[in-house]
Amino acid sequence: MEYVIQQGLNALSFGAEYALLALGLAIVFSIMGLVNFAHGEIIAVGGYTMVAFAALAIGNPVIVMAGAVIAAMLASLTLERVAFRPVRKADPTTGLLTAFGVSIVLQNVFLMFVSPRPIAVTSLYFLDWPIEIAGIRLASLQVFETLTTIVVIVALMLFLRRTVLGLAVRAASLDFEMVRLTGIKANRVFAMAFLISGLLAGLACIFIMARRGSVDPHLGFDPVLKAFVACVVGGFGSLPGAVLGGFLLGAVEVAMLVMLPQSLGGMTDAFVFMIVALILIWRPDGILSPAIEKGDKL
Amino acid sequence: MTPARPLIDEGRASQADRMLTIQDLHVFHGPIEAVHGISLNVERGKCISLLGPNGAGKTSTISAITGIARATGSIRFEDREISADSVEARIASGIAVSPEGRRIFSNLTILENLTLGAALQRDQAEKGRDIDHWFSLFPILAERRDQAAGTLSGGEQQMLAIARALMARPKILLLDEPSLGLAPKIVRQIFDLIGTLKDKGMTILLVEQNATQALKLADYAYLMSSGRIVAHGTADELGKSDKLMAELTGVA
Amino acid sequence: MIRLSQSQRSGLVGAALLAAVLVVIGVATLYFGSRYQIRLVYSAYVNLIVVLGLQVFMGNARITNLSHSAFMGIGAYAAALCVTPENIKKISLPAAPWGLADFSLDPVLSAAIAIVITAVLAFLLGLFIVRLTSIGATIVTLAVLVIVHAVFLYRTDIFKGNQAFFGIPQVFDLGWVVGIAILAVVVCRLFRESRWGIQLRASADDEVGAAAMGVQIYKLRLIAWVLGAVILAVAGICYAYFLGTISARPFYFNHVFLTLAMLILGGMRTVTGAVLGTFLISFGLEGVRYLETGPVLLGIDLPEALGLSGIALGAVIVLTMALRPTGIMGNREIETLFVRKTF
Ligand SMILES: Nc1ncnc2c1ncn2[C@@H]1O[C@H](COP(=O)(O)OP(=O)(O)O)[C@@H](O)[C@H]1O
Ligand SMILES: [Mg+2]
């Protein structure tokens, strides 16, 4: 029984991280049909910001964490301006390829200007200590991560329901042109979506860095690949779908780790992707696909 | 076909009354030119109707006014050339549109749709009063204020689309085929509403295929066909012309 | 006797022009190139075949494929497993199951088997992929890439994972790959201009309209998908038969992006674009790699700049998408550059 609860909590915290990342992808996709594969590099920007703080001998964890999040948000905004604005009106494939291009450029920028090798960041180790409650052993990091994700989901929901810009972001996923016809500036809506996306990447960055303790140019690639999968499974462009997909993926992954024999350990990813492919074949638009046709984009 | 009457009826209104003046407007969809140089006026406080069969270029004209479609020519709004302005700037200057096909935000609630309509409205109290006003006018919208707008019937969606446009407190209201696809009883309601708006002094450009109803309301009307204005006049003049019926029914 | 349509005949003219270019580059390299340059040009030709295999599906069905390097890998490994002599396999694959280490075949038969295996696998996967909408299909191809790579890494008893699978007879030289690349160009052009290719492109532009005209879009996509996979398998075989050793790493994301960038830059809608993009990027990257080593240029000692080639590659993709999403060639094939358009 304890073992089940233990694994359930593991799945929850895995899922929380995927949900955080998947939301960041989904909010951008929902308004402009862009599969932002460069999301992973936004995470890496956060990681390298931590390196920079360490180099400046700034160890205050609040500054380090806030700095990483702000850097991620700025990076996300910048990418929107520089790389994604020209392909705003383009089809999803063009956007996807652009994002791949941006991702490759950024990875190599890190490689060239910082280092191809991992750089240790120790300032966040303090976030991680073992907890034991009623025989269930957890890492404090798992708890923080799950709680953060819950707070983020609630805050995002409030934003999307209670503010005009939030309403515009939701409406834009259906009919961007009509949103402009209410007088809301398209650029503001895009900027907002990327800002939120960057914020989510920055938060995820804190947890990824606290766990790994180092950053390298490929820091974000694997997590975002998984988050991408979560989005697809949940229904691309659907925010509830992204959350559902994230937690589902966490569950599948933990289940795979638990149930697959040791000898098949290397195949976890293969099985995860196989399940994704099967889900897509079963429901080509994902489990919670947005019900309505997307309106014309700008 | 007899030649069209002179395009601008200079005697009709003095310059000062003109709210929206369009001259030699060409509208393009990609490489295709849909409207070939039309001119029209909308005077302050008047209801002007733009009639014509399907594909005549009416929606294209509306899209050019809001800046959605690429266009050349002059569009003056309140004595200011707006043809170089962005869509958002034109809306901010006082143009509101209830577009063809209504295009309500079906994934948002009715209340949220109205709130978005007033996106540029800074005064919260005013916004609240406007929402109350529309809810008292359309009790059905009030009842279902927190339901997704996609669950409304076609007629209700049209009411919502008009209310959403008016939430911006515009100086001019562009209505693109508000009666399209609605039952006769609902159509009458919609036209009653437009009549009420007109009586309250709203300036309206009403695009319609339903000429009979539109002409009852309109002070002046333009008849479009194949991207050109083929006739224009007061409702009485046009209502009596055979040309109108011929154009609209396609029997020439 | 196969009857060719008007468009196929002009396609053959275009293919002949491209073939001439391929022959010139190949011959010039053979006579004037160093060993290193021959190797470089050889890998450019292998990548050309990959890009052509990619173009058959992506260019005609307009669905982005990310699994092509996996199919190349399948072809390469299947051929390598068949053709490598038993005595070498006994050493390199001591734990090989199903008697894989107990036989060896001649290169032609091995290649044929590799092609058939790849085609069958592609067909089975294709049955599902062709039914998905564009981005969904792309994601499933991504899943295929990850899964195939995981299998290569996991079954070290068969594939040796990231270690070198060695001892493959080096039966190909530059001449062979030039010939095969020309063959691939001809096949791609003939397919593109065939009734199937034309219908498939029409349906990519207007799916509903084409379906209304009775175009069987799934069937056509599947044909293009399998044909593409066969060409990719051939590319994998060329790769293995020249180098003599293979490993899993070259059949993963880096190669996917490299070849994708080639196709995108040249223009995925045309075969000419595939050829042009491949050579531009192959030779362009070689120049950038030279800069990466920190050479002395015009008396200036440049610093070492690892990552420059990656930045260049990514920038090519981003700029192409922003400035000219249909690539350099757009919808134009090579022959239209010479023949004046007549209306
Ligand atoms: N988005 C578009 N792309 C291409 N052609 C269009 C587009 N919208 C309208 N058209 C064409 O422009 C012409 C005018 O259409 P429209 O303005 O919608 O007419 P109306 O509103 O009077 O029915 C039609 O021939 C129509 O086919
Ligand atoms: Mg219309």
Side-chain angles (χ1 to χ4, degrees):
Chain A
M1 188 60 210
E2 267 162 22
Y3 181 73
V4 173
I5 295 177
Q6 172 89 58
Q7 295 303 343
L9 289 172
N10 280 344
L12 201 63
S13 72
F14 268 55
E17 182 177 318
Y18 293 142
L20 214 51
L21 291 170
L23 269 176
L25 290 180
I27 196 156
V28 166
F29 185 88
S30 75
I31 64 159
M32 68 182 287
L34 171 74
V35 182
N36 185 9
F37 248 98
H39 202 61
E41 282 57 52
I42 304 284
I43 298 173
V45 166
Y48 283 110
T49 308
M50 294 178 184
V51 173
F53 278 122
L56 295 171
I58 298 173
N60 182 333
V62 177
I63 296 181
V64 171
M65 291 194 284
V69 171
I70 290 169
M73 290 167 80
L74 290 180
S76 183
L77 267 187
T78 310
L79 287 192
E80 193 273 321
R81 282 301 302 258
V82 175
F84 296 127
R85 197 165 283 191
V87 294
R88 237 185 226 178
K89 295 178 203 171
D91 57 311
T93 304
T94 306
L96 175 76
L97 295 173
T98 304
F100 273 135
V102 170
S103 162
I104 298 171
V105 169
L106 287 178
Q107 282 187 16
N108 285 283
V109 165
F110 300 142
L111 193 148
M112 188 164 141
F113 291 104
V114 192
S115 164
R117 279 175 291 281
I119 303 175
V121 174
T122 52
S123 47
L124 295 179
Y125 279 160
F126 75 96
L127 282 174
D128 202 5
W129 70 86
I131 312 177
E132 187 163 338
I133 311 165
I136 295 165
R137 274 183 301 149
L138 285 172
S140 60
L141 204 57
Q142 289 178 303
V143 180
F144 289 141
E145 193 156 20
T146 311
L147 290 180
T148 305
T149 303
I150 292 169
V151 170
V152 160
I153 291 171
V154 171
L156 195 57
M157 225 163 69
L158 285 176
F159 167 76
L160 290 172
R161 293 190 180 280
R162 295 289 160 80
T163 68
V164 168
L165 205 51
L167 293 180
V169 168
R170 277 166 63 211
S173 70
L174 191 73
D175 188 346
F176 209 128
E177 198 173 88
M178 192 59 226
V179 172
R180 297 184 77 194
L181 286 173
T182 66
I184 297 170
K185 291 198 177 71
N187 285 344
R188 280 186 66 202
V189 180
F190 281 112
M192 198 58 191
F194 275 87
L195 208 58
I196 294 174
S197 175
L199 169 70
L200 298 177
L203 291 173
C205 168
I206 293 175
F207 296 110
I208 293 172
M209 289 299 291
R211 190 171 321 114
R212 294 192 19 162
S214 71
V215 52
D216 64 58
H218 307 284
L219 177 73
F221 192 80
D222 273 352
V224 167
L225 205 58
K226 297 279 180 58
F228 176 55
V229 164
C231 280
V232 172
V233 171
F236 228 120
S238 151
L239 300 186
V243 174
L244 174 81
F247 282 105
L248 211 60
L249 187 67
V252 168
E253 204 165 299
V254 169
M256 286 294 164
L257 285 172
V258 172
M259 293 190 308
L260 283 182
Q262 200 72 41
S263 61
L264 278 172
M267 293 292 283
T268 318
D269 276 4
F271 280 100
V272 169
F273 274 87
M274 202 146 4
I275 289 171
V276 170
L278 291 177
I279 289 179
L280 272 182
I281 287 159
W282 164 55
R283 281 188 73 111
D285 295 319
I287 298 173
L288 292 185
S289 57
I292 317 114
E293 282 280 296
K294 280 183 75 67
D296 286 342
K297 282 189 281 164
L298 288 180
Chain B
M1 202 185 261
T2 50
R5 290 145 140 268
L7 284 177
I8 302 290
D9 187 353
E10 289 298 342
R12 180 156 61 95
S14 72
Q15 197 74 33
D17 285 346
R18 283 185 188 159
M19 180 164 264
L20 181 70
T21 307
I22 291 172
Q23 266 168 345
D24 194 29
L25 183 76
H26 296 255
V27 189
F28 303 86
H29 299 290
I32 303 160
E33 184 174 319
V35 173
H36 317 288
I38 64 163
S39 302
L40 59 81
N41 288 317
V42 181
E43 292 87 2
R44 194 177 304 278
K46 294 282 163 61
C47 175
I48 305 301
S49 187
L50 187 57
L51 306 171
N54 228 336
K58 308 182 294 297
T59 302
S60 303
T61 306
I62 296 286
S63 300
I65 297 171
T66 54
I68 294 289
R70 189 167 62 86
T72 64
S74 154
I75 305 171
R76 294 187 72 80
F77 180 60
E78 294 204 301
D79 287 328
R80 205 171 57 80
E81 183 66 38
I82 59 165
S83 48
D85 290 1
S86 69
V87 175
E88 296 91 335
R90 297 185 201 203
I91 303 298
S93 69
I95 297 174
V97 56
S98 159
E100 182 172 24
R102 319 189 227 291
R103 290 168 74 172
I104 53 145
F105 302 117
S106 55
N107 57 339
L108 269 56
T109 68
I110 289 153
L111 184 60
E112 288 170 339
N113 267 274
L114 292 178
T115 311
L116 262 189
L120 300 184
Q121 173 80 269
R122 289 275 156 257
D123 185 341
Q124 291 301 323
E126 186 111 305
K127 211 190 275 189
R129 277 199 298 279
D130 283 357
I131 288 178
D132 290 342
H133 170 73
W134 291 110
F135 279 162
S136 68
L137 211 57
F138 305 118
I140 180 79
L141 295 186
E143 262 167 48
R144 302 168 64 175
R145 56 195 289 160
D146 292 322
Q147 281 183 29
T151 61
L152 294 174
S153 72
E156 291 156 3
Q157 291 193 8
Q158 185 60 57
M159 310 266 179
L160 179 59
I162 296 176
R164 178 183 63 186
L166 290 167
M167 282 297 294
R169 299 198 152 231
K171 294 171 182 155
I172 187 170
L173 176 63
L174 313 179
L175 290 170
D176 196 347
E177 304 217 30
S179 73
L180 191 71
L182 300 181
K185 182 170 150 251
I186 313 287
V187 171
R188 222 166 305 126
Q189 276 179 27
I190 298 276
F191 278 106
D192 283 349
L193 169 66
I194 300 170
T196 317
L197 292 173
K198 183 190 161 195
D199 293 342
K200 284 188 185 161
M202 177 58 70
T203 310
I204 297 168
L205 178 59
L206 172 64
V207 166
E208 262 301 337
Q209 285 192 55
N210 188 336
T212 332
Q213 291 277 5
L215 286 177
K216 275 187 203 153
L217 276 177
D219 298 295
Y220 200 83
Y222 295 84
L223 178 58
M224 262 188 105
S225 176
S226 308
R228 294 196 166 76
I229 287 178
V230 291
H232 57 116
T234 62
D236 281 347
E237 290 166 1
L238 266 189
K240 288 189 196 99
S241 91
D242 297 338
K243 187 157 192 163
L244 176 72
M245 285 329 287
E247 274 302 339
L248 288 180
T249 55
V251 186
Chain C
M1 185 70 213
I2 306 167
R3 297 271 299 275
L4 294 180
S5 68
Q6 171 69 40
S7 55
Q8 279 180 315
R9 259 176 278 151
S10 82
L12 279 184
V13 173
L17 289 168
L18 290 176
V21 174
L22 296 185
V23 168
V24 168
I25 295 176
V27 169
T29 315
L30 266 181
Y31 283 94
F32 305 112
S34 63
R35 259 183 75 88
Y36 173 76
Q37 282 164 336
I38 289 180
R39 216 179 144 97
L40 176 75
V41 172
Y42 189 93
S43 81
Y45 275 92
V46 171
N47 280 337
L48 172 60
I49 302 172
V50 173
V51 174
L52 288 168
L54 195 54
Q55 194 277 335
V56 170
F57 183 68
M58 264 182 78
N60 293 304
R62 308 264 165 78
I63 295 174
T64 302
N65 179 7
L66 300 174
S67 64
H68 50 283
S69 302
F71 285 104
M72 181 191 176
I74 292 171
Y77 272 111
L81 277 167
C82 292
V83 77
T84 305
E86 290 117 297
N87 53 357
I88 296 181
K89 279 199 279 194
K90 286 257 155 56
I91 300 164
S92 66
L93 302 170
W98 315 312
L100 280 174
D102 304 331
F103 73 99
S104 65
L105 304 169
D106 69 276
V108 176
L109 193 56
S110 301
I113 290 175
I115 290 171
V116 169
I117 289 176
T118 314
V120 169
L121 272 175
F123 176 78
L124 295 175
L125 284 167
L127 287 176
F128 300 106
I129 289 173
V130 297
R131 287 184 162 68
L132 294 171
T133 49
S134 68
I135 204 90
T138 303
I139 291 159
V140 173
T141 63
L142 179 74
V144 170
L145 178 74
V146 173
I147 294 169
V148 170
H149 186 69
V151 172
F152 286 158
L153 287 188
Y154 173 68
R155 292 305 300 251
T156 45
D157 53 341
I158 306 176
F159 305 109
K160 292 191 69 74
N162 269 333
Q163 284 178 304
F165 184 120
F166 55 86
I168 306 163
Q170 288 165 274
V171 288
F172 275 7
D173 57 17
L174 189 57
W176 272 97
V177 79
V178 171
I180 292 173
I182 289 171
L183 190 65
V185 164
V186 172
V187 169
C188 288
R189 272 315 298 270
L190 285 182
F191 180 80
R192 185 178 185 271
E193 310 307 337
S194 70
R195 197 159 53 86
W196 287 343
I198 291 169
Q199 286 184 346
L200 192 53
R201 280 184 281 145
S203 70
D205 285 334
D206 177 8
E207 187 162 338
V208 182
M213 307 249 292
V215 174
Q216 289 176 289
I217 184 163
Y218 294 154
K219 191 186 95 181
L220 295 179
R221 276 187 195 159
L222 188 59
I223 292 170
W225 172 258
V226 174
L227 179 60
V230 166
I231 296 175
L232 291 166
V234 170
I237 294 163
C238 291
Y239 182 79
Y241 281 9
F242 178 76
L243 287 180
T245 52
I246 55 176
S247 70
R249 201 188 305 279
F251 307 120
Y252 207 38
F253 275 108
N254 284 343
H255 186 255
V256 169
F257 289 137
L258 174 70
T259 43
L260 211 52
M262 291 170 171
L263 184 57
I264 288 166
L265 175 65
M268 67 170 175
R269 298 180 174 206
T270 62
V271 177
T272 311
V275 175
L276 180 66
T278 306
F279 284 117
L280 280 180
I281 290 196
S282 293
F283 297 141
L285 271 190
E286 201 44 39
V288 177
R289 284 210 189 90
Y290 171 69
L291 290 179
E292 254 178 1
T293 59
V296 180
L297 265 190
L298 304 172
I300 306 162
D301 191 357
L302 295 171
E304 194 175 293
L306 244 85
L308 204 59
S309 56
I311 293 175
L313 195 65
V316 163
I317 298 181
V318 174
L319 290 176
T320 311
M321 286 295 125
L323 305 176
R324 208 177 150 82
T326 53
I328 296 173
M329 294 308 294
N331 283 316
R332 289 166 307 167
E333 287 283 7
I334 187 167
E335 68 273 11
T336 60
L337 302 180
F338 299 100
V339 183
R340 189 156 299 173
K341 248 201 182 124
T342 48
F343 283 99

